[in-house]
Amino acid sequence: MPTATATAPAQAGAVAPAPPGITKKRRKLQDNLTGHAFLIGAILCFGLFMWFPMIRGIVMSFQRTRRGVTTWVGWDNYVRIIEDPSFWVAWKNTFYFTGLALILGFVAPFFVAILLNEFRHAKGYLRILVYLPVMLPPASALYLFKYYAYDPSEAGLFNAILAFFNLPTSEWMQSPTMTMPAMVIASTWMNMGGAVLIYLAALQNIPGDLYEAAELDGAGLAKRIWHVTIPQTRLILALLAMMQIVATMQLFIEPLILANGAGTQDSATSVAYLIYQHGFFQNDLNGAAALGVIMLLVLAAFSAVYLRLSTKQD
């Protein structure tokens, strides 16, 4: 006689489990909401602290504010800024500093990284020693140079070294011809550590077989660097060169601290410092905005040319 199978009655108030498809959709929706929340926060920060000031500066460059009354003046601010003799002096000093920084501040970290990469012992200690100036506040490092290294008397570090080798001493920041080289030396010492670590990471990714093959072919150290090291780190070199040019063209804190702003005979006046002068000393915010837009266009043009050339090379 067949037996009937009895089903247990459902418990009162029990919730049926959700189908697997709905659970996956809900989890995906939660992940998307979380990602969009982080994205919206980043966009708001960029918009509030970068895009809005940039757009506001462009608008201000076409205006003039006098006694609380703002009027549109078109290109008058740009014409006034360009006709100012300090405008061309500032650009000349800025390009001069950028060129010197490329010669010293771009080449020196690369060869320091090659030297550190050849050491077999105390690598960690040497890397900390090279990176240590980056951890110092820029103002502290520059005051150290100003009052200790660049003292125009023989008590200054650099003058003491020159006097030890019976070489003529220098007035450093008081000399119009030595102002820019002195600022480049200080800037290179302050910022070299980050570039050295990047170059070290790139050097350690070069296969050792390439160096072994070059040594078997009789290549010396200089030829190994030229034919192996530089081609293998070409992309990193190009990227850091562009970043260095953009950074050095915004020269500001070095002349502000080392040369008290303009320097002797305006030998240290940079474009960024001229913007600071217009905005905070002359109360000419509209002129400062116009000069800032001109600098933005110059840097954007350089970046566009760099990207164009790098695309052709690739």
Side-chain angles (χ1 to χ4, degrees):
M1 187 173 181
T3 59
T5 304
T7 58
Q11 297 181 357
V15 179
I22 297 178
T23 304
K24 289 181 180 179
K25 289 181 180 179
R26 185 178 299 168
R27 186 176 303 166
K28 186 176 180 180
L29 178 62
Q30 291 177 351
D31 293 341
N32 288 337
L33 289 175
T34 303
H36 282 86
F38 281 107
L39 181 62
I40 290 171
I43 291 175
L44 289 176
C45 287
F46 274 98
L48 182 62
F49 297 106
M50 294 188 66
W51 297 334
F52 174 73
M54 187 183 302
I55 296 172
R56 177 61 178 154
I58 295 173
V59 172
M60 287 178 60
S61 68
F62 295 99
Q63 296 175 335
R64 181 171 297 169
T65 303
R66 294 290 170 86
R67 297 180 179 179
V69 179
T70 300
T71 56
W72 291 90
V73 294
W75 299 97
D76 289 355
N77 291 321
Y78 292 91
V79 173
R80 179 167 53 85
I81 288 296
I82 293 174
E83 291 178 349
D84 184 0
S86 299
F87 174 83
W88 301 105
V89 173
W91 277 109
K92 184 181 100 171
N93 291 337
T94 300
F95 283 123
Y96 181 36
F97 180 87
T98 301
L100 287 178
L102 279 178
I103 296 173
L104 179 62
F106 176 68
V107 176
F110 184 65
F111 285 100
V112 170
I114 293 175
L115 181 63
L116 293 181
N117 195 48
E118 295 297 323
F119 280 96
R120 296 289 180 259
H121 304 287
K123 283 187 176 182
Y125 171 75
L126 292 174
R127 291 176 187 177
I128 293 175
L129 190 64
V130 171
Y131 192 75
L132 184 62
V134 181
M135 295 186 285
L136 294 175
S140 301
L142 290 173
Y143 276 117
L144 180 67
F145 268 85
K146 181 177 182 178
Y147 293 111
Y148 179 63
Y150 291 150
D151 190 325
S153 66
E154 291 190 2
L157 176 63
F158 288 170
N159 277 344
I161 295 174
L162 293 175
F164 179 79
F165 290 102
N166 295 322
L167 296 174
T169 59
S170 173
E171 294 183 353
W172 300 106
M173 301 311 301
Q174 285 74 30
S175 170
T177 57
M178 286 302 300
T179 298
M180 280 296 170
M183 289 197 298
V184 169
I185 292 172
S187 178
T188 301
W189 182 81
M190 284 194 313
N191 303 308
M192 185 174 62
V196 169
L197 292 186
I198 294 174
Y199 287 139
L200 275 173
L203 291 174
Q204 291 175 358
N205 288 328
I206 300 176
D209 298 340
L210 296 177
Y211 289 108
E212 293 177 3
E215 288 180 2
L216 291 176
D217 290 339
L221 177 61
K223 289 187 176 180
R224 291 200 301 270
I225 293 174
W226 182 257
H227 294 288
V228 178
T229 305
I230 293 179
Q232 290 295 317
T233 57
R234 179 175 59 88
L235 294 177
I236 296 296
L237 286 169
L239 177 62
L240 288 184
M242 185 193 72
M243 293 176 63
Q244 171 133 357
I245 292 175
V246 172
T248 52
M249 288 189 68
Q250 302 176 55
L251 171 69
F252 175 70
I253 190 171
E254 287 86 354
L256 180 66
I257 293 179
L258 291 178
N260 296 323
T264 305
Q265 300 177 8
D266 288 333
S267 59
T269 301
S270 65
V271 178
Y273 182 75
L274 193 60
I275 295 173
Y276 172 73
Q277 275 189 323
H278 276 279
F280 293 95
F281 286 94
Q282 302 177 17
N283 198 24
D284 181 18
L285 296 178
N286 303 111
L291 189 53
V293 172
I294 293 174
M295 174 179 265
L296 172 66
L297 293 176
V298 171
L299 293 178
F302 166 76
S303 300
V305 171
Y306 167 80
L307 292 175
R308 181 69 175 172
L309 293 177
S310 62
T311 303
K312 285 185 177 181
Q313 290 177 357
D314 293 339

